[in-house]
Amino acid sequence: MATTHNAGRARRTGRMTLPVLLPVVLGIGFYLLGVVLPDPIQGQVALGAIGVLVAVTIELILRLARGEEHRDTISELIRSLDRLPPTAYPLARRVLAAYAGAVVSTENSIYQDALRAHAQESAIWLERVSAGELELDVGTESIELLQDSVQNCKLSLRGITIASQDLDWWQSEGGRRYWEANIEAIKRGVKIQRIFIDGAGFPEARLPELTDLMKEQKAAGVSVFSIRLGQVAPLDDPERDITIFDDQMVHEVTDSATGVPTRVTFRRKRDATRRAATHFERVLIRAKSYDPASPPPT
């Protein structure tokens, strides 16, 4: 009997582990493909592959976890993942191991339901990432991503900055680090255009600070433009705070509190970059090239 039971378990393990490991193998193939592709495409392929890999595998793990009899299968799955080469998706393997470990260890249905809901949310988030959209809370990591975006920029950087929510940020430690990355990009030959909009609620008393910021960037080689919010108001979303890197990726402040950015979004979809570029051009037509010898726009 024991032999028959073990044989049955082996057959079930083989049937269930193979479809779970399949996306892992495909993911590794995508990764290797991404390594040999040009830089602009490599990041999209690798990020998309990881997103699809983790999302699909988490869903399969959750399906396996719905029955008590499948716990040995999950343990075997994790052992199989651990046998993958160390260079093959360490982040994906860690996430999968953490989720499966939580599923295996908990006996309480409340925890199981909460884990399933969280995993489903994570899968949705990863699907968005694999489709080219990354949304995250503002923090140190977002500064690092911004710096990486500038460092990877090869030709052009175009931005619209809203003074009412960005002026303090430009003066912060993170903002100064980002500006230093801008300076290095200019030295590499990257063309930077930046439009400054005063923004809703921007106090007249802070115009000298805004002027000093524009003057500093102009002196460093940025093509600086300025415009008052009232001149942009007829446009849709007049206070869009965006940066476009090489017409391939858009960084946008999507939420702010008391004048401080709190959430940002990175998008790599072609339609997103096209819409952002169109908005930038519509604002640029209305803006004036900044001249340090001229008074601020009125």
Side-chain angles (χ1 to χ4, degrees):
M1 266 318 261
T3 303
T4 302
H5 176 73
N6 290 336
R9 174 183 294 180
R11 286 194 297 271
R12 289 197 303 272
T13 300
R15 287 196 302 269
M16 295 178 183
T17 302
L18 180 59
V20 176
L21 289 179
L22 182 59
V24 176
V25 175
L26 292 175
I28 294 173
F30 277 116
Y31 172 78
L32 295 175
L33 179 63
V35 169
V36 300
L37 290 174
D39 287 343
I41 304 174
Q42 179 178 331
Q44 290 180 330
V45 173
L47 186 60
I50 289 176
V52 173
L53 165 67
V54 178
V56 170
T57 313
I58 284 176
E59 176 62 23
L60 290 172
I61 287 177
L62 290 173
R63 289 181 182 177
L64 293 175
R66 285 169 187 156
E68 293 285 328
E69 67 275 16
H70 296 320
R71 290 190 172 189
D72 290 341
T73 301
I74 295 174
S75 298
E76 177 59 28
L77 166 63
I78 297 305
R79 286 193 291 271
S80 299
L81 290 174
D82 286 339
R83 289 196 294 268
L84 291 174
T87 56
Y89 294 102
L91 175 61
R93 290 171 62 239
R94 193 177 81 182
V95 171
L96 292 173
Y99 267 107
V103 170
V104 171
S105 64
T106 182
E107 296 286 348
N108 191 301
S109 61
I110 295 177
Y111 283 88
Q112 291 178 348
D113 291 343
L115 176 65
R116 183 172 293 109
H118 186 275
Q120 290 171 346
E121 291 176 1
S122 298
I124 293 172
W125 187 86
L126 286 165
E127 287 170 358
R128 291 178 61 188
V129 170
S130 66
E133 181 171 327
L134 172 64
E135 185 177 281
L136 69 164
D137 292 330
V138 171
T140 303
E141 59 187 10
S142 67
I143 298 298
E144 300 296 337
L145 289 175
L146 266 178
Q147 285 183 289
D148 289 345
S149 300
V150 178
Q151 291 168 358
N152 293 328
C153 202
K154 294 178 173 59
L155 299 174
S156 67
L157 187 159
R158 295 182 287 171
I160 297 177
T161 184
I162 310 299
S164 59
Q165 67 184 26
D166 290 345
L167 184 55
D168 288 335
W169 179 84
W170 279 109
Q171 297 170 344
S172 69
E173 179 183 353
R176 299 309 298 177
R177 283 161 49 196
Y178 176 67
W179 170 236
E180 290 170 3
N182 275 236
I183 294 176
E184 293 302 316
I186 293 171
K187 293 178 180 178
R188 297 196 309 270
V190 176
K191 181 182 178 182
I192 299 181
Q193 295 176 298
R194 184 163 287 121
I195 305 172
F196 288 87
I197 302 176
D198 57 352
F202 185 70
E204 294 288 332
R206 300 201 67 182
L207 277 177
E209 296 176 65
L210 177 58
T211 300
D212 289 342
L213 178 60
M214 292 191 294
K215 186 181 299 184
E216 177 186 18
Q217 297 204 8
K218 179 79 171 182
V222 176
S223 297
V224 177
F225 302 85
S226 62
I227 188 171
R228 302 304 296 267
L229 179 61
Q231 298 171 282
V232 190
L235 300 180
D236 295 332
D237 299 324
E239 289 192 85
R240 288 190 65 186
D241 193 310
I242 59 177
T243 304
I244 309 168
F245 301 95
D246 282 335
D247 288 329
Q248 294 183 351
M249 184 171 68
V250 180
H251 167 272
E252 182 169 2
V253 177
T254 54
D255 193 18
S256 62
T258 62
V260 179
T262 58
R263 183 170 290 273
V264 299
T265 301
F266 289 85
R267 293 185 176 91
R268 295 188 65 99
K269 294 180 181 178
R270 286 187 178 182
D271 58 341
T273 56
R274 184 168 55 249
R275 287 196 302 269
T278 299
H279 180 76
F280 180 89
E281 293 299 329
R282 293 178 69 189
V283 177
L284 183 62
I285 292 175
R286 292 166 168 79
K288 293 182 179 179
S289 178
Y290 173 68
D291 181 1
S294 301
T298 57

